[in-house]
Amino acid sequence: MSWSSLIPATSFMPIQATEIAKEVDLLYAFLIIASLVSFVILIGGMTWFLIKFKRTSLDQKSAYITHNNFAEFLWSFIPLIIMMGIFYWGMVIFEKLRTPPEDIAAEIHVTGEQWAWTYRYANGKEFYSSANDPMIVPAGKATKLVLTSKDVIHSFYVPAFRTKQDAVPGKLTQLWFEPKQPGEYIVFCTEYCGTKHSGMMIKIKAIPSEEYAAWYHAEKKGADSPADLGKTLFAQKACASCHSIDGSRIVGPTMKGLFGSGRKFADGSQTKADENYLRESILVSSAKIVEGYPPAMPVFQGQLSDEDVANLIEYIKSIK
């Protein structure tokens, strides 16, 4: 019998709709049981000492007891080891929750606002959260969400997946999940965002991967895909005059294979070219100057909308 089986999935905890949900529940069960054992040892020991060494007369004196170095070491060292083990266990699970796998089957851009969610797919399908338009994802395959907000901080939380991530204005965050089987799962906003915060619920509907592929490639609600719109904007802003798309070197770094690659800067620092790096580089080009290139790119902050920036990022991501 596993630790997680001690927690009824139908009452105390939501269903375990992903494999990582089992790991989260296992850690949670261990913390509850370890806390209970610690409580019994501490309170039970205190109660036993109160009874055994109760003073029986007013003039009774306690015996003089010197400290025991070995005992003091044990009651400090053993809890330290246990806590470090819990920390490492939690760190491993957190890393899994925050690091999407390479084989992402679907990537969806999700934008929070008071008091709804908008989700946009790579092919241009776009939906405004409602009971009739759940977020469609493939079951048995990994889905990555890229989150942001138009106004205040929101938080995208799926209890059945045991995953949660804030949607922050002016920043791109991400989370991923892989539903084990088809079904519908409730999404809550868990960051108080105003008077209608409690009504900011949507559903994620996981469907078989073949059915998802047919739905994804069917007639789309949106116009061009974000990458297509970004390609048009890339041409309109004359980005190609400084950034090639074929790997050749001109004024600025090439866009070919840029996303996900390592970047080294003039000040000696390094980072990975993720969504937030691309966003910062587009809006405030002087923030990080790539080693070996001049600080020649103009600043586009105030000239591009959040949607424009998101479209440009999607186009850059498509240039392999």
Side-chain angles (χ1 to χ4, degrees):
M1 182 174 65
S2 66
W3 288 97
S4 56
S5 65
L6 298 175
I7 300 181
T10 55
S11 57
F12 188 64
M13 296 287 282
I15 62 170
Q16 298 172 337
T18 61
E19 286 299 325
I20 203 166
K22 296 179 180 179
E23 297 185 44
V24 173
D25 288 358
L26 181 62
L27 174 58
Y28 189 64
F30 175 81
L31 290 173
I32 290 177
I33 294 171
S35 298
L36 177 62
V37 171
S38 300
F39 176 83
V40 170
I41 292 174
L42 177 62
I43 303 303
M46 288 175 59
T47 304
W48 182 75
F49 279 115
L50 285 171
I51 296 173
K52 180 174 177 60
F53 298 104
K54 180 182 178 181
R55 191 168 67 171
T56 57
S57 64
L58 294 176
D59 58 351
Q60 184 180 4
K61 302 294 183 181
S62 298
Y64 179 73
I65 302 173
T66 60
H67 67 275
N68 186 307
N69 290 332
F70 183 68
E72 291 177 4
F73 171 77
L74 285 182
W75 72 51
S76 299
F77 183 71
I78 293 175
L80 173 64
I81 295 300
I82 294 172
M83 294 304 296
M84 291 301 294
I86 292 172
F87 173 81
Y88 178 76
W89 190 356
M91 183 183 69
V92 170
I93 294 176
F94 182 81
E95 187 69 17
K96 289 181 181 180
L97 284 168
R98 287 292 176 263
T99 307
E102 295 293 332
D103 56 337
I104 292 292
E107 182 174 304
I108 307 169
H109 281 250
V110 181
T111 302
E113 61 180 294
Q114 293 172 311
W115 290 272
W117 301 97
T118 300
Y119 22 100
R120 184 171 59 159
Y121 293 77
N123 67 346
K125 286 178 181 281
E126 185 171 338
F127 300 92
Y128 187 78
S129 62
S130 70
N132 298 322
D133 288 319
M135 182 185 293
I136 306 295
V137 301
K141 294 184 178 295
T143 295
K144 174 184 172 183
L145 304 186
V146 179
L147 300 161
T148 190
S149 171
K150 289 183 178 180
D151 38 45
V152 299
I153 297 176
H154 302 277
S155 194
F156 194 94
Y157 173 50
V158 193
F161 300 163
R162 309 297 193 271
T163 186
K164 181 172 80 75
Q165 179 61 59
D166 288 350
V168 183
K171 183 179 180 180
L172 299 174
T173 56
Q174 67 177 30
L175 66 77
W176 75 279
F177 48 79
E178 186 176 326
K180 293 188 294 184
Q181 56 190 14
E184 291 190 348
Y185 309 99
I186 297 293
V187 179
F188 296 94
C189 174
T190 51
E191 185 76 30
Y192 182 71
C193 55
T195 55
K196 297 181 182 178
H197 159 74
S198 61
M200 197 170 168
M201 292 190 298
I202 61 171
K203 286 183 179 180
I204 289 177
K205 184 177 182 180
I207 59 178
S209 56
E210 300 81 5
E211 187 179 332
Y212 173 81
W215 172 86
Y216 181 81
H217 294 292
E219 182 180 356
K220 57 189 179 184
K221 286 190 173 183
D224 294 328
S225 71
D228 291 336
L229 295 172
K231 182 178 181 179
T232 300
L233 191 59
F234 192 85
Q236 290 174 348
K237 296 296 182 181
C239 302
S241 62
C242 294
H243 302 281
S244 72
I245 61 172
D246 61 1
S248 60
R249 176 176 177 135
I250 44 181
V251 179
T254 182
M255 297 292 100
K256 184 176 181 180
L258 171 59
F259 182 76
S261 66
R263 299 276 90 184
K264 187 174 181 181
F265 307 113
D267 62 1
S269 61
Q270 300 181 53
T271 193
K272 181 180 178 181
D274 57 10
E275 286 92 349
N276 275 307
Y277 166 75
L278 294 178
R279 177 186 174 86
E280 181 184 47
S281 297
I282 292 169
L283 295 177
V284 188
S285 56
S286 59
K288 293 182 175 69
I289 305 300
V290 177
E291 185 179 54
Y293 291 91
M297 181 173 167
V299 173
F300 284 98
Q301 193 165 34
Q303 301 181 47
L304 299 174
S305 66
D306 287 343
E307 186 174 346
D308 289 338
V309 175
N311 292 337
L312 280 170
I313 291 173
E314 288 307 301
Y315 174 57
I316 294 170
K317 289 165 69 173
S318 72
I319 304 173
K320 305 296 185 182

